[in-house]
Amino acid sequence: MPTTPRLFVSADLSTGRAASLDDQQSNYLLRVLRLGAGSQVRLFNGRDGEWNAALSAAGRQAAVTPVSQLRVQPPPATPALTLFFAPVKKDQTDLIVEKATELGAVRIVPVLTRRTQTRSVRLDRFRKIALEAAEQTERLDLPEIADLATLDAALAALPPGTAVIFCDEAGDEAGAPRGGEAGRARPMRAVLEGLKGRDGALLTGPEGGFTPEERAFLRSRPGVHPVSLGPRILRAETAAVAAMALWQAMCGDWG
Ligand code: SAM
């Protein structure tokens, strides 16, 4: 039994208030899924919950008319999860944005660090990936995709009281004991035990990791909690997904 297609629309959703779909959505419903007039579509807009709607078409242009509300819009997630990530190669960065959306991040912030290879990002691409992931994962909202920011600016823009969980892969100095001069980070699980109930902002670095200066800067800031994600060096995308999953399991909405 194919699932009813689920689309994000920007229009307000209320009974009988028709909304026209954009060309891509019209093409998807009418030509890819080959749905006819009267077919059911599920809609959400991030404000009015989720609605059952009836499809109509005028030529290649589709429209949807909400019929009944399926789910009410929940209050914003608390505590809220923000992901700060240093962009990596294109496909892996796309994966981070998609998984952050599935894992419930409310804000996704690409941050520039000293060793970040890419110096520009395609926000329109990130927003498209996040929208498609939100439709698939049955979220009722979209994550905010923030513009590329420096580490300082990203931290400064955080709401007060947010706990910054800094994924600190140890070992900046080759050959030095893991953790370098600033010492190895505590296991993330132990750190999160003391952060329950607080908004969290996870920070992961680029392929080349954080510089010793960045690690010292981060460790010097109040509200920043260095954490270890175990004894192995994870790829940036693996670290982001693993850290978000652990945060949701211990502090977030996984129950
Ligand atoms: N500098 C690292 C090295 O030794 O090769 C590579 C950085 S790793 C590919 C990318 C990012 O993932 C790191 O900056 C860190 O944020 C996170 N990460 C990877 N493994 C981790 C670990 N075991 N503990 C904490 N963070 C980790």
Side-chain angles (χ1 to χ4, degrees):
M1 167 76 171
T3 53
T4 310
R6 187 168 187 271
L7 295 179
F8 176 84
V9 294
S10 52
D12 291 339
L13 296 173
S14 58
T15 307
R17 183 173 175 166
S20 53
L21 297 181
D22 64 30
D23 293 347
Q24 187 188 357
Q25 291 174 322
S26 297
N27 181 63
Y28 172 63
L29 294 180
L30 301 178
R31 263 167 297 290
V32 174
L33 297 185
R34 308 176 71 78
L35 296 179
S39 299
Q40 278 196 1
V41 179
R42 285 185 293 158
L43 305 175
F44 69 106
N45 62 6
R47 303 184 301 280
D48 300 324
E50 183 174 78
W51 286 72
N52 219 358
L55 177 67
S56 57
R60 305 168 73 93
Q61 177 64 46
V64 282
T65 305
V67 172
S68 57
Q69 189 179 38
L70 297 171
R71 287 192 283 167
V72 295
Q73 190 71 28
T78 50
L81 173 62
T82 294
L83 174 68
F84 289 151
F85 74 98
V88 286
K89 288 186 182 60
K90 180 175 146 316
D91 292 350
Q92 287 78 0
T93 295
D94 290 355
L95 184 98
I96 290 173
V97 173
E98 181 183 71
K99 299 315 166 196
T101 303
E102 290 176 55
L103 288 165
V106 298
R107 289 182 73 235
I108 302 172
V109 186
V111 290
L112 266 185
T113 67
R114 291 280 299 281
R115 294 175 182 165
T116 304
Q117 300 291 315
T118 49
R119 309 309 284 180
S120 66
V121 291
R122 289 276 312 278
L123 293 180
D124 57 333
R125 178 181 179 75
F126 288 178
R127 290 192 173 108
K128 183 171 183 301
I129 290 167
L131 189 151
E132 288 172 2
E135 289 175 339
Q136 174 276 325
T137 202
E138 309 242 338
R139 281 181 68 146
L140 287 174
D141 65 339
L142 298 181
E144 177 201 339
I145 307 286
D147 205 344
L148 188 63
T150 62
L151 205 44
D152 299 46
L155 293 174
L158 271 176
T162 303
V164 178
I165 295 118
F166 159 39
C167 295
D168 179 6
E169 86 286 1
D172 286 299
E173 300 86 73
R178 280 179 63 77
E181 81 291 349
R184 192 169 167 187
R186 287 172 59 213
M188 182 170 170
R189 183 184 42 73
V191 173
L192 291 188
E193 284 296 349
L195 297 177
K196 291 185 178 178
R198 293 197 30 206
D199 288 352
L202 295 169
L203 169 64
T204 58
E207 293 93 339
F210 292 97
T211 65
E213 295 75 20
E214 285 172 329
R215 287 179 73 229
F217 161 71
L218 285 161
R219 285 165 171 269
S220 70
R221 284 180 70 99
V224 174
H225 307 266
V227 298
S228 167
L229 296 175
R232 290 168 292 278
I233 293 294
L234 309 176
R235 292 173 65 92
E237 61 274 22
T238 310
V241 171
M244 286 187 286
L246 184 53
W247 189 91
Q248 282 294 12
M250 290 192 65
C251 303
D253 62 6
W254 281 9

